[in-house]
């Protein structure tokens, strides 16, 4: 492809993207294809001769789009949002046009320097302590691929610092602490690092957030057994219910016990951009006690996947653990300590130029625009939660957390109260009924044995009418499931939540 062909095909690509977005609401939310659909439609081998680009682009429409679930659809309420903006798309295009492996400053100085600048911008926007700024010269921010990577990097740094301070401790006695609600990234990090992950108990009475007393007790008991907890993954907004660990209690205990506290705020961290949520999100305690903090701008932060923001209080703890500099990677700027080589702040060597996405998005929306997006999502979720609470057959399973509502069918005023198994059966049936539809998508979760449905708001195009429609669909299905149950139709037996 030469420059003139690129110009032509590039314009056509943008036109096709615009058409997709213009017709988004009429498309199915969830891809309506069966497993293996694509391999039946594409050849088994690389074509021997190059093909004309227009037919390649046409196949994106013909073969790929039908297999795409539209996460930007206004009725996408599953998992957590994965925002995409036109600003982010254009940034990716520009980044891709100057592609480079970015492992050190010299690869393309702008990539490193922009990352430091926008990570400081973002830290200030979220209200993070100055210690987390690159400007501080001590801590700093780095863009990772995912929250799982961010946690892994933090845990590697924590382990290295801990073993350095306690040279006689055997790595096999180390413990990573999280809770039963911690994202699977905790268990996965343990698996990768050959360490043990311990899930501390959480309770409905504190809405599934970790309490200080539980942490304190675990530390004492594990130490008596000769174990060494060295890192605590605290969560601001769990995946299942949006629970928040009690940072004011656990922060000082973790610090006192010498545990590195990593705050996983992959989804909810972005709410810190709004001053009114900072108290609920324990910003003050995070600023006092967290050693590292992660939030994904690629979830609810208007930035196209991938952009996981990780901030650490001590950059040398990262580089002490991760700096491997063979002679061929040395540069005079790094040797002089004048620049950051971000490869030493992450697991891999090469890295994408991602900061440009955040730069474009933050400049185009401004803090005001991002806040408006967050506030609107929360207000819409509240609207949905109100419907649930006004209904006589539904209930919220946990209080609404930011833009997430966790609820279930639980008819009130019945003669014999239903058992947990019966309720789980009803809700599983309800979930399958909704999952069979193509015009809306929600997800399920298991909250300590309780089968619940989750509705997460956060797509940019969701409006009040989509929330009303979602409630109409869900409540109608709920009425049917309940009527069937009362008429004696069998309910599927308990068989786990998946
Ligand atoms: C989404 C999410 C994760 C996983 O994020 P990845 O970036 O996909 O690794 C981890 N923790 C929480 C709380 C999340 O919401």
């Amino acid at each position: 492809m030469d420059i003139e062909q690129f110009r032509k095909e590039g314009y056509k690509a943008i036109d096709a993207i615009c058409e997709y977005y213009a017709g988004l609401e009429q498309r199915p939310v969830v891809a309506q294809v069966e497993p293996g659909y694509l391999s039946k439609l594409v050849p088994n081998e690389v074509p021997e001769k190059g093909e004309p680009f227009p037919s390649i682009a046409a196949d994106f429409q013909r073969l790929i789009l039908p297999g795409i679930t539209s996460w930007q659809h206004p009725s996408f309420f599953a998992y957590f949002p994965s925002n995409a903006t036109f600003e982010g798309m254009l940034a990716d295009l520009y980044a891709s046009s100057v592609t480079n492996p970015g492992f050190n400053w010299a690869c393309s100085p702008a990539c490193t320097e922009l990352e430091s600048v926008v990570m400081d911008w973002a830290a200030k926007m979220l209200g993070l302590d100055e210690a987390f700024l690159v400007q501080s010269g001590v801590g700093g921010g780095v863009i990772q691929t995912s929250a799982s990577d961010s946690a892994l990097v933090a845990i590697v740094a924590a382990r290295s610092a801990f073993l350095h301070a306690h040279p006689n401790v055997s790595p096999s006695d180390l413990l990573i602490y999280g809770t039963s609600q911690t994202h699977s990234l905790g268990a996965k990090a343990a698996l990768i690092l050959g360490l043990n992950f311990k899930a501390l108990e959480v309770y409905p009475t504190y809405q599934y957030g970790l309490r200080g007393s539980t942490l304190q007790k675990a530390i004492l008991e594990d130490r008596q057994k000769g174990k060494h907890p060295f890192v605590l993954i605290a969560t601001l907004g769990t995946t299942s219910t949006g629970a928040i660990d009690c940072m004011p209690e656990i922060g000082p205990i973790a610090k006192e016990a010498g545990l590195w506290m990593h705050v996983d705020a992959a989804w909810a961290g972005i709410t810190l951009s709004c001053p009114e949520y900072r108290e609920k999100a324990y910003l003050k305690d995070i600023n006092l006690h967290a050693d590292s903090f992660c939030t994904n701008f690629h979830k609810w932060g208007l930035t196209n996947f991938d952009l996981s923001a990780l901030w650490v209080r001590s950059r040398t703890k990262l580089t002490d653990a991760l700096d491997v500099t063979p002679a061929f990677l040395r540069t005079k700027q790094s040797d002089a300590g004048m620049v950051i080589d971000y490869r030493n702040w992450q697991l891999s060597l090469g890295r994408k130029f991602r900061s440009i996405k955040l730069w474009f998005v933050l400049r185009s929306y401004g803090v005001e625009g991002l806040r408006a997006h967050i506030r609107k999502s929360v207000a819409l979720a509240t609207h949905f939660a109100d419907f649930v609470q006004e209904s006589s057959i539904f209930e919220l399973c946990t209080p609404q957390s930011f833009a997430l509502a966790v609820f279930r069918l639980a008819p009130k005023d019945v003669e014999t109260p239903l058992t947990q198994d019966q309720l789980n059966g009803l809700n599983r049936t309800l979930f399958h009924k909704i999952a069979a539809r193509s015009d809306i998508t929600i997800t399920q979760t298991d909250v300590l044995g309780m089968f619940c449905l989750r509705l997460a708001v956060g797509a940019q195009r969701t409006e009040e009418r989509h929330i009303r429609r979602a409630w109409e669909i869900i409540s109608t299905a709920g009425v049917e499931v309940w009527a069937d149950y009362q008429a004696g139709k069998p309910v599927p037996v308990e068989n786990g939540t998946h």
Side-chain angles (χ1 to χ4, degrees):
M1 191 181 284
D2 61 22
I3 293 178
E4 285 314 312
Q5 276 174 312
F6 175 63
R7 196 188 302 281
K8 203 164 142 231
E9 292 304 327
Y11 290 152
K12 273 165 58 185
I14 298 287
D15 279 342
I17 294 169
C18 292
E19 290 310 309
Y20 168 77
Y21 275 91
L24 191 58
E25 203 165 337
Q26 283 71 52
R27 302 185 68 89
V29 187
V30 181
Q32 303 291 300
V33 296
E34 295 300 324
Y37 92 99
L38 189 59
S39 63
K40 294 192 199 114
L41 300 172
V42 296
N44 273 329
E45 311 278 341
V46 184
E48 203 54 45
K49 284 199 166 66
E51 300 176 43
F53 193 80
S55 67
I56 303 172
D59 279 349
F60 177 79
Q61 304 294 325
R62 190 171 68 90
L63 304 174
I64 303 304
L65 270 186
I68 293 292
T69 288
S70 290
W71 288 60
Q72 309 314 314
H73 194 290
S75 296
F76 184 97
F77 301 113
Y79 311 104
F80 280 134
S82 179
N83 291 168
T85 50
F86 296 127
E87 291 85 345
M89 284 175 227
L90 291 173
D92 260 346
L93 188 58
Y94 282 119
S96 163
S97 75
V98 292
T99 195
N100 71 95
F103 50 76
N104 63 16
W105 179 85
C107 276
S108 274
C111 300
T112 296
E113 298 204 6
L114 185 61
E115 185 157 336
S116 298
V117 169
V118 295
M119 287 300 281
D120 277 6
W121 277 18
K124 289 178 195 167
M125 178 180 74
L126 300 179
L128 293 182
D129 191 78
E130 282 178 12
F132 291 108
L133 301 182
V134 176
Q135 273 169 358
S136 73
V138 182
V142 53
I143 301 173
Q144 307 279 343
T145 307
S146 66
S148 309
D149 270 8
S150 293
L152 190 55
V153 164
I155 294 168
V156 166
R159 177 180 65 174
S160 159
F162 187 87
L163 290 175
H164 190 74
H166 306 90
N168 298 324
V169 168
S170 156
S172 62
D173 288 329
L174 294 178
L175 279 182
I176 301 172
Y177 273 176
T179 76
S180 60
Q181 303 300 301
T182 300
H183 187 273
S184 56
L185 56 71
K188 186 142 180 192
L191 189 71
I192 293 166
L193 299 172
L195 301 173
N196 288 306
F197 175 79
K198 179 160 178 169
L200 307 183
E201 300 276 359
V202 292
Y203 306 95
T205 44
Y206 191 72
Q207 292 153 24
Y208 309 98
L210 178 62
R211 299 302 302 261
S213 50
T214 309
L215 176 63
Q216 187 79 69
K217 191 161 155 270
I219 294 172
L220 282 176
E221 286 176 4
D222 283 322
R223 284 193 174 156
Q224 271 166 14
K225 289 183 208 150
K227 299 292 178 195
H228 297 273
F230 71 100
V231 64
L232 168 66
I233 304 170
T235 308
L236 163 54
T238 60
T239 325
S240 180
T241 64
I244 306 175
D245 289 336
C246 188
M247 313 285 175
E249 292 181 2
I250 62 178
I253 295 170
K255 185 172 266 175
E256 169 72 28
L259 271 66
W260 175 300
M261 184 160 95
H262 173 69
V263 175
D264 175 16
W267 162 65
I270 199 78
T271 62
L272 294 172
S273 60
C274 304
E276 69 270 30
Y277 300 128
R278 290 180 176 175
E279 195 177 330
K280 176 180 169 182
Y282 299 127
L283 176 64
K284 189 166 110 289
D285 308 281
I286 289 170
N287 277 336
L288 277 174
H289 303 298
D291 294 285
S292 49
F293 176 88
C294 165
T295 192
N296 285 346
F297 278 82
H298 66 233
K299 278 186 165 164
W300 195 8
L302 299 174
T303 308
N304 307 43
F305 195 90
D306 51 355
L307 202 145
S308 179
L310 171 68
W311 285 275
V312 293
R313 202 179 281 279
S314 159
R315 67 175 73 170
T316 51
K317 285 188 180 153
L318 274 191
T319 52
D320 283 352
L322 293 164
D323 186 352
V324 179
T325 304
F328 66 87
L329 289 178
R330 287 182 57 181
T331 60
K332 68 174 191 296
Q333 296 87 357
S334 318
D335 285 352
M338 291 158 62
V339 297
I340 287 178
D341 285 337
Y342 272 125
R343 71 168 185 283
N344 297 324
W345 295 42
Q346 64 169 23
L347 298 178
S348 64
L349 175 72
R351 57 205 317 276
K352 237 175 105 174
F353 181 19
R354 298 188 186 88
S355 52
I356 187 171
K357 275 190 295 205
L358 193 51
W359 194 47
F360 275 29
V361 167
L362 292 180
R363 287 182 63 184
S364 180
Y365 283 84
V367 178
E368 228 176 68
L370 182 65
R371 283 180 181 158
H373 168 61
I374 300 299
R375 287 172 179 152
K376 179 180 158 199
S377 310
V378 174
L380 290 174
T382 306
H383 198 50
F384 183 83
D386 287 345
F387 282 133
V388 172
Q389 284 180 298
E390 286 157 17
S391 152
S392 62
I393 58 167
F394 281 90
E395 68 176 13
L396 287 180
C397 304
T398 59
Q400 177 193 340
S401 175
F402 303 111
L404 173 67
V406 182
F407 63 101
R408 65 175 179 169
L409 183 59
K412 289 148 211 162
D413 303 326
V414 291
E415 271 170 31
T416 11
L418 281 76
T419 65
Q420 178 94 316
D421 276 359
Q422 287 168 325
L423 284 171
N424 286 352
L426 278 183
N427 281 284
R428 194 171 297 112
T429 309
L430 172 61
F431 177 72
H432 288 307
K433 229 175 154 79
I434 295 162
R437 303 181 64 106
S438 63
D439 56 348
I440 183 175
T441 179
I442 60 172
T443 36
Q444 56 176 321
T445 188
D446 173 352
V447 184
L448 303 184
M450 174 168 47
F451 186 104
C452 307
L453 309 180
R454 287 168 84 261
L455 182 128
V457 185
Q460 240 189 328
R461 291 168 183 75
T462 306
E463 302 292 341
E464 199 180 312
R465 66 192 162 88
H466 303 107
I467 297 294
R468 275 202 305 273
R469 178 80 187 122
W471 175 247
E472 213 173 276
I473 292 169
I474 293 167
S475 59
T476 307
V479 168
E480 287 167 10
V481 169
W482 180 225
D484 283 353
Y485 176 86
Q486 287 176 302
K489 287 221 185 131
V491 162
V493 288
E494 179 73 25
N495 61 352
T497 50
H498 300 287

